Every structure is written in structure tokens, then in C-alpha cells.
Amino acid sequence: METLKADIQAGTILPGTHLHQEDLAKRFAVSRVPVRDALFKLSSEGLVSIEANRGAVVTKLTTDQITEIYDLRLILECDALDRAIKAIKNEDLPAIRRALRLCRLEADGGDWRAADNEFHRTIYRLSGRLKQVEIIESLRASVQAYWAQYSTLATNEPHWLEQHDALYRCIEQRDARRAVKLLRTHLIEASIKLTS
């Protein structure tokens, strides 16, 4: 059922789409029980809404909900970044550099969203706040499908890659104040792009 989740996050299955258990059971060659369990799990992650007498529907967010998600991300991600930079050791830098390189490689037609998630996850985990990182990942996942539908997204990749490079330099220099300012700008720009 990870394929179903991936399809939702990639925008292959659009927000507002009804998910029929029978169809999913046929698609994945399983009974309805694992499908039902998967839909409840996706519901707990905010990717699917279970509606009485209507079944499961891929969650469709309003502009206000997307704005709220980004407001929460600003608070949680900036805090996690600040804590990570204060805790970082020199031996942590190669993993961040690898994640940054992966972003560059995937920007040319690959799965840049997964690489972007890995870059941020690699940094935030260094904060030692695993529950906070889990919440951040859930918030990021909840807007993933909307990014997948954005046709002009590719034109922004060079700008975002530059922001990632600048963020890495701040981390390397242990400049938490400047890094948080860059991340705040990065997230605000993404929110505006997504809701405009």
C-alpha cells in the first residue's frame, strides 16, 4: 500500500479523488481488509479523509489550510534547524553534503521532492527532537501532492538549489541566525508559490 501513498503524494491520484476499496483491492491483488487498514493509516497521516457513507477521499486542502500548514512548518522547521546547528559535529557534515548533492542530481528530472525531503530530514534529525521531526515530515507530506501538480515548479529549482547551498554554508559555519532566516524565506516563498 506504499504505492498508494506514493501515488497520492506524487499527485498521480489528485486531491478530491474518491478511493473505492473494491477497486484498490483489485489493483493491489489483496482483500478489502488490508485496503481498509491502509486507508485508515493514510487518514491518520492526513492524506485521506474517511467520509461516512461516502468512503475514502484524497484530502483536498483549502488555501487557508495550506497557509496554516506552512505557518506550523515555519515554527517547527526553524526551531529544528536552530537546534541542529547548535548540536552539529564536524562528522555530521558529510551526510548533509551527500543529501545536498542528491538534490542537485535529482533536480534534472529525477525525484527532487524525495531528495528535498531527505536534505531537510538529514539536518533536522541532528536536533535530537525525533517527535518534532516526525511532525514536520507529516506536515511536509500533507502538501506534497499540491507541489506535484504545480506546472511551473521546475523553473524554481535553480533558485531553491541556491537556497540549499546557502543553507549548507550557514550550517558549516554554525551560523544559526542566518540559517534560520534563509529557511524562513525558503518556506515563505514556497507557501506563496503554492497558494497564489
Side-chain angles (χ1 to χ4, degrees):
M1 290 300 165
E2 283 300 312
T3 304
L4 178 60
K5 180 178 179 177
D7 286 350
I8 292 169
Q9 290 179 323
T12 305
I13 301 175
L14 298 174
T17 301
H18 287 273
L19 300 172
H20 302 284
Q21 288 185 25
E22 302 82 23
D23 295 340
L24 293 171
K26 286 178 190 173
R27 176 181 172 196
F28 294 108
V30 296
S31 73
R32 289 177 53 185
V33 173
V35 170
R36 186 177 59 240
D37 292 344
L39 292 173
F40 279 115
K41 183 176 186 295
L42 292 172
S43 175
S44 73
E45 295 175 20
L47 297 174
V48 168
S49 301
I50 308 291
E51 300 175 0
N53 301 321
R54 295 196 63 212
V57 177
V58 177
T59 302
K60 188 170 187 173
L61 300 173
T62 65
T63 300
D64 287 343
Q65 289 170 321
I66 292 171
T67 300
E68 180 181 2
I69 289 167
Y70 272 89
D71 289 347
L72 291 168
R73 285 184 59 189
L74 276 166
I75 294 165
L76 294 170
E77 292 188 43
C78 289
D79 178 70
L81 176 61
D82 183 63
R83 290 173 185 273
I85 290 174
K86 290 174 181 170
I88 202 166
K89 299 175 183 71
N90 285 336
E91 56 265 23
D92 297 321
L93 293 174
I96 300 170
R97 273 195 305 271
R98 278 191 300 277
L100 182 58
R101 268 196 310 274
L102 182 61
C103 283
R104 289 206 163 280
L105 291 170
E106 295 295 334
D108 294 329
D111 190 357
W112 74 268
R113 285 184 306 270
D116 179 66
N117 285 336
E118 185 57 30
F119 174 72
H120 289 278
R121 181 184 309 113
T122 300
I123 297 166
Y124 301 154
R125 282 184 180 158
L126 297 172
S127 71
R129 311 265 296 198
L130 300 183
K131 186 62 178 173
Q132 185 171 344
V133 173
E134 184 181 308
I135 294 167
I136 290 168
E137 289 181 358
S138 174
L139 290 169
R140 290 176 68 91
S142 68
V143 293
Q144 199 97 41
Y146 292 85
W147 278 117
Q149 298 173 48
Y150 218 83
S151 61
T152 61
L153 193 57
T155 62
N156 289 311
E157 285 176 2
H159 175 65
W160 289 337
L161 288 171
E162 289 168 13
Q163 287 179 331
H164 283 174
D165 288 338
L167 186 58
Y168 176 77
R169 286 191 298 277
C170 289
I171 291 168
E172 196 173 42
Q173 297 164 2
R174 311 306 196 273
D175 188 346
R177 185 188 60 74
R178 187 158 175 266
V180 167
K181 184 178 176 183
L182 280 168
L183 178 61
R184 181 173 297 283
T185 299
H186 184 65
L187 290 171
I188 289 170
E189 287 176 359
S191 175
I192 290 168
K193 188 79 173 162
L194 198 57
T195 57
S196 61

